[in-house]
Amino acid sequence: MSGTSASVRRAAVAGLFYPGTADELNATLDALLEGVPQHALKPRAMIVPHAGYQYSGPVAARAYGSLGSAARSLRRVVLLGPSHREWFRGLALPAANAFATPLGVVRIDEGAGNELRQLSGVVVSDAPHRLEHSLEVQLPFLQRLAPEAQIVPIVSGDASPAEVASVIETLWGSSDTLILVSSDLSHYHPYAVARGLDASTAEAILAGKETLSGEEACGCVAVNGLTCAVRRCGLRGEVLDLRNSGDTAGDRQRVVGYGAFGFYDA
């Protein structure tokens, strides 16, 4: 992660998945977060969706808004999301030192990255990050709510639940760290079918199962690793929101499922 010069991973989906200017983006975040209730407990980890804001933004906002004032105390957010464009073995950290959005630059926790580089399955590569949206769409929410937090951005390729859990457990411990897994749920089923599939997936996640497939959750690699770590730590999971694009964007013929989950000390 460290190097002789700083490099910034530029925004790849600003203006596509979310507004491309700071003013428009701030207005959108205002609207999405308005009225979201704060949870009584601070989560150790969350699962949030990663589609365009018009589709999954309300569900993601339900997770982020639940942090309330606790978000301000975060100093590190470990971001794990799937690779949609590059196949590779393992879990990829970027060589970059920071990520950019229209709201500014988010620094990467290089010390945490150096720790992770010692683990089996962790590689350093900018290629999986360059055009990947699953992590980028989370950043504006974090910039708004947790401005002091640095990030540890990890794109998952072909990795086992144990490898993902090892990454999580290496950095998981202090109250100022949040684990954030980025995943949508089922894809392109009729509305009623998707609701049934996603409800079953939510039950599996809360039960701590490590066998979700890509048909159930596109971020299944990171979700399976998180449920492994959650089970080991004895955390309690909770569904914060469970909807699909038929609820948020209208068309119910071929929908994509979205879930927001929080994981709390029992």
Side-chain angles (χ1 to χ4, degrees), residues 125-193:
S125 176
D126 283 326
H129 288 270
R130 188 168 294 116
L131 298 176
E132 182 54 53
H133 66 271
S134 66
L135 304 187
E136 182 181 327
V137 297
Q138 313 304 336
L139 298 181
F141 284 103
L142 295 174
Q143 288 171 294
R144 165 63 68 85
L145 298 174
E148 300 302 316
Q150 294 187 324
I151 59 171
V152 186
I154 303 163
V155 172
S156 60
D158 179 14
S160 69
E163 287 173 321
V164 177
S166 180
V167 164
I168 292 171
E169 290 165 351
T170 296
L171 301 180
W172 200 359
S174 62
S175 61
D176 64 0
T177 294
L178 176 68
I179 307 298
L180 192 62
V181 168
S182 175
S183 180
D184 294 338
L185 301 180
S186 66
H187 281 57
Y188 309 133
H189 298 286
Y191 181 84
V193 173

Side-chain angles (χ1 to χ4, degrees), residues 57-83:
V59 180
R62 181 64 182 81
Y64 285 111
S66 75
L67 291 168
S69 59
R72 292 274 169 179
S73 68
L74 293 174
R75 295 297 178 268
R76 178 168 65 193
V77 177
V78 182
L79 285 164
L80 296 116
S83 175

Side-chain angles (χ1 to χ4, degrees), residues 24-46:
E24 292 176 308
L25 183 50
N26 276 319
T28 297
L29 292 170
D30 286 342
L32 290 171
L33 292 165
E34 183 178 6
V36 175
Q38 179 177 347
H39 198 283
L41 300 174
K42 182 178 180 180
R44 300 277 299 281
M46 295 194 305

